[in-house]
Amino acid sequence: MSRIRILSEHIANQIAAGEVVERPASVVKELLENSLDAGATRIAVQVEGGGTRLIRVMDNGAGMDEDDVLLSIERHATSKLRDESQLAAIATLGFRGEALPSIGSVSRLTILSRPRDRETGTRAEIRYGRLHAVHEDGCARGTIVEIRSLFGNVPARKKFLKSARTELYHIEEVIRNQALACVGAAFSLRVDSRSVIDLPAGGGVEQRVRDVFRCQDPLLPVDFTAGDEKNGLRLSGYLLQPEVSSSRTNRLRILVNGRPVRDRMIRHGVVEGLQGFLMKGQSPAGALFLQLAPAEVDVNVHPAKLEIRFRSSQEVHRFVVQAVAAAIKAYQEEVRSDIFSIPAPSPEQAAVPLFTAEARRPLPASSPPEAGSGPGEPVRRPGNMAVRRSAEPAASFRHDQAPFSAVKPPDSLADFTGLTLIGQFAKLYLLCEKDDRLIVIDQHAAHERIMYQRLRRDYLRRDIPGQNLMFPVSVELDPRQLETLKRYDADVALLGFAVEDFGESTRVIKAVPALVSHLDPAEMLAEILASLCSAPRDEPAAVVPPRIDHLLASMACKAAVKAGNRLAPAEMFELLRQMKDSELFSHCPHGRPVVKIFSKQDIEKWFHRL
Ligand code: ADP
Ligand code: MG
């Protein structure tokens, strides 16, 4: 007699349940998918005891007749796949025909269902995998699935469950994700007869995203397509503002062809697209919907269908980076036209000068840099943004520094920015007025972003201007630093440094990045080497590698006007003009916001005038 036997269906179901039904939330997920596949527009979930006592899902979908109810609990029974060819392009959420029998094998399952064309419904009861009773029963059109005593027959599995609170959290997550996938349907969750989620239908995607993330702040819309309608890619959805911190409920939700999935590749693409907009340790938040030809993605790689596989994942990754970067850019344009649009001058505005002639006097012009590459002269792009090296301490903002060197005072108060400058607050914030709104700008963050954009652009052109040192600086490097320098010498040169060998462990710094030429060259090099040394070896590929991006941000920070610098009105105008002209400007490269806008109503509320 053979030792190998085919497992009974009962055992096979229990084994499948081990994969499909990890916890109460997995049950909720499968049931929601079934309701949505049945075309439901209203789905109500009830949970008791963290999901182990009761899970009930009620829908107004197509329902099942008696035959279908009985078939639905058979293993590998599905109405969603007919032949092999369909497996290559699955259009429904379910397709495996495993969920109901698996769930039924580890719980007491009741299905009550009625299709549209029947007067009465069918009730079927399954107890731990065995059909207990079937009979006719009255019910509304649609389906009610009830699961009691989940894992009642698998105590080992039950032991692995976390606290009821944790399990409920996972259930809520599942519902929120599905609610994003199906904006046209209403979802509700009651936990021990307390309403926890109540998402009405009909509000559209943006409203659903707001409801799910409980976010009132402006959202960053994403909508980007590539290729044609049939084979193309589309990424749409909304991201939360980068500064809205990512708590557990504020995270990135990714839906591919309407299916909520976990996908590290897409996530990474989003993070890369947001490079220079996320604060340290912060992760992106929002809901992104990727649509592509079903044949381009394999959804049949995970028993609970939580993961997927792309046919050309690099292409998808590149597309996501582009889409998110484009969204950030479009958002900038919106903010730009919102705060910098030039209003038709009102007669009153033109008449009252805010600044005295004194304040509008041109600043002393910096001496024009001469061409050439002698000591003290720019190395690469003479006359552009390189500046003379000066002995002045770096702490204070100097007029001869490149960004504000060519300040021309504005001819009229709001001429090139459309903003009316009120003044500077706390030597840090520029206060401006525009259309009954108070616009507050962090001078350091704003300038830092402008500098960073410039550095990034120059880096991508392989052309960050260096500045020759009048007095080359020799430094002693330790073995670790020497090794880092050797490994990253190309990076160091690209940043604008010229470092030459001078014996064993001595190196001579002959040029430094022009933008930060006021800083101590030796310290700067040591810092850069330390940062490069700690960069992970297998960095993900990116347009600007993270190790470099980090350094560019740090250089920008050092080059930017500091908090605590009093700015003359002309300088403030110049900063505003540069913001207006900068490709990106809404956040500093570390993700901190640059601009905050208070409406007149906001302020009136402070004073109880409303
Ligand atoms: P799958 O969803 O992979 O087909 P399931 O075990 O989840 O497998 O469900 C089996 C079948 O039962 C489905 O194909 C569907 O025809 C039917 N069914 C399940 N739930 C519902 C529901 N809420 N409304 C209508 N039909 C349902
Ligand atoms: Mg299913």
Side-chain angles (χ1 to χ4, degrees), residues 465-477:
Q467 154 115 28
N468 281 339
L469 296 180
M470 183 106 67
F471 306 106
V473 175
S474 84
V475 287
E476 281 295 309
L477 300 184

Side-chain angles (χ1 to χ4, degrees), residues 30-31 33-34 37 80 93-100 305:
E30 294 293 339
L31 299 184
E33 287 186 356
N34 283 346
D37 279 343
K80 299 166 196 176
L93 293 167
F95 57 86
R96 300 169 63 100
E98 269 186 328
L100 289 181
K305 299 162 288 183

Side-chain angles (χ1 to χ4, degrees), residues 382-405:
N384 195 346
M385 41 184 282
V387 285
R388 277 168 175 279
R389 197 170 144 67
S390 124
E392 235 176 284
S396 71
F397 176 64
R398 308 188 319 269
H399 294 321
D400 70 344
Q401 261 196 320
F404 295 150
S405 58

Side-chain angles (χ1 to χ4, degrees), residues 264-342:
R264 289 184 54 183
M265 184 272 291
I266 295 182
R267 199 192 155 72
H268 177 265
V270 175
V271 171
E272 196 187 321
L274 285 172
Q275 199 180 47
F277 278 87
L278 287 175
M279 287 205 255
K280 205 173 171 193
Q282 198 187 30
S283 43
L288 291 178
F289 304 83
L290 179 68
Q291 270 149 309
L292 70 175
E296 287 296 307
V297 39
D298 190 351
V299 295
N300 188 25
V301 296
H302 188 278
K305 299 162 288 183
L306 289 170
E307 278 160 27
I308 50 171
R309 200 174 292 147
F310 292 100
R311 200 156 14 159
S312 33
S313 74
Q314 282 199 338
E315 194 189 318
V316 174
H317 181 268
R318 218 174 311 130
F319 172 76
V320 170
V321 177
Q322 274 183 342
V324 172
I328 283 273
K329 230 164 163 178
Y331 175 72
Q332 304 290 306
E333 292 318 314
E334 209 176 285
V335 180
R336 194 195 312 279
S337 75
D338 183 32
I339 64 176
F340 287 130
S341 67
I342 297 172

Side-chain angles (χ1 to χ4, degrees), residues 31-44 57-63 141-143 182-187 201:
L31 299 184
L32 288 184
E33 287 186 356
N34 283 346
S35 296
L36 291 170
D37 279 343
T41 56
R42 221 174 43 242
I43 303 174
V57 174
M58 299 177 278
D59 71 48
N60 64 347
R141 183 176 84 90
T143 304
C182 208
V183 169
F187 292 81

